Amino acid sequence: MESLLRHYDALERWNQVSAQAGAQLVRIMSLAGGNRYIARPIELDDSGQTELAGQEELTVTNLAEPADAAGLVAAGTDALAIDVGGWWVVFIGQAGSSMFCAKVISAAGSGQYLVREQQLTAQGQVTDAPGAIDMPATNLAELSLGPGAAVDVGTVILATGIKDTASPPTLRYVFHHPAYAKYLD
């Protein structure tokens, strides 16, 4: 009976697989072509932060991407690589869009703004997130409604990161905050 239950034990199955194949943490350094990347081993330091471990370079294949398309994994991405028959493989899928609280810092016109990431304090106050930088963002409502939908500096919004169609893609930030011609007479 125990042998039948072991099949469903994910940790036991990982132990069986890892005993036959090597596994190590890696950091993607650059695209080698298609879905293959140059990576370097990393390790966890005493405080739990990752750091490079030596100068060895590995070529890893990302099974989450097709081999005949340009790779989209950003340099600096950390992953678990598994040695399968002498080939190092990773599985890094495309991240979904990210949404975060931001404050409008300045307006450049035509729906273009600089925004800064915010955090909520225990008291519910909105403050700058630690290490936050000013990022360009586009107000989608203003692109549709025109300048009457302009957002005031200091307005707190929810911004979303969306990849554009460039190769490799760039993460662009957008928000939707209609103001409905608040300054028109």
Side-chain angles (χ1 to χ4, degrees):
M1 181 69 167
E2 181 181 338
S3 64
L4 292 175
L5 293 176
R6 294 179 98 193
H7 177 74
Y8 298 103
D9 182 355
L11 291 175
E12 177 62 26
R13 290 187 52 87
W14 169 249
N15 188 32
Q16 292 170 358
V17 171
S18 64
Q20 298 165 359
Q24 65 181 324
L25 294 173
V26 296
R27 176 165 296 145
I28 303 298
M29 304 305 286
S30 63
L31 176 65
N35 65 341
R36 300 185 73 193
Y37 297 85
I38 303 300
R40 288 184 51 197
I42 59 174
E43 61 189 7
L44 298 172
D45 65 15
D46 292 339
S47 65
Q49 300 299 312
T50 57
E51 61 186 11
L52 293 174
Q55 298 298 317
E56 179 185 13
E57 289 189 344
L58 306 170
T59 300
V60 299
T61 301
N62 183 14
L63 298 179
E65 295 178 311
D68 60 350
L72 301 176
V73 177
T77 302
D78 294 341
L80 176 66
I82 300 173
D83 180 359
V84 179
W87 294 90
W88 288 99
V89 296
V90 295
F91 192 92
I92 306 170
Q94 184 174 359
S97 31
S98 57
M99 183 175 278
F100 59 94
C101 184
K103 183 191 304 185
V104 174
I105 302 302
S106 66
S110 300
Q112 304 303 309
Y113 295 87
L114 283 180
V115 300
R116 186 177 304 142
E117 184 177 0
Q118 302 293 293
Q119 68 180 8
L120 293 174
T121 66
Q123 296 76 28
Q125 301 296 321
V126 177
T127 63
D128 289 351
I133 59 171
D134 294 349
M135 301 173 285
T138 302
N139 181 7
L140 298 177
E142 197 168 340
L143 294 181
S144 302
L145 300 172
V151 177
D152 290 334
V153 169
T155 301
V156 176
I157 50 98
L158 285 176
T160 303
I162 299 175
K163 291 182 180 178
D164 65 16
T165 59
S167 182
T170 301
L171 190 62
R172 307 282 181 179
Y173 297 101
V174 297
F175 63 97
H176 184 78
H177 191 288
Y180 300 111
K182 61 184 175 194
Y183 295 118
L184 297 179
D185 292 328

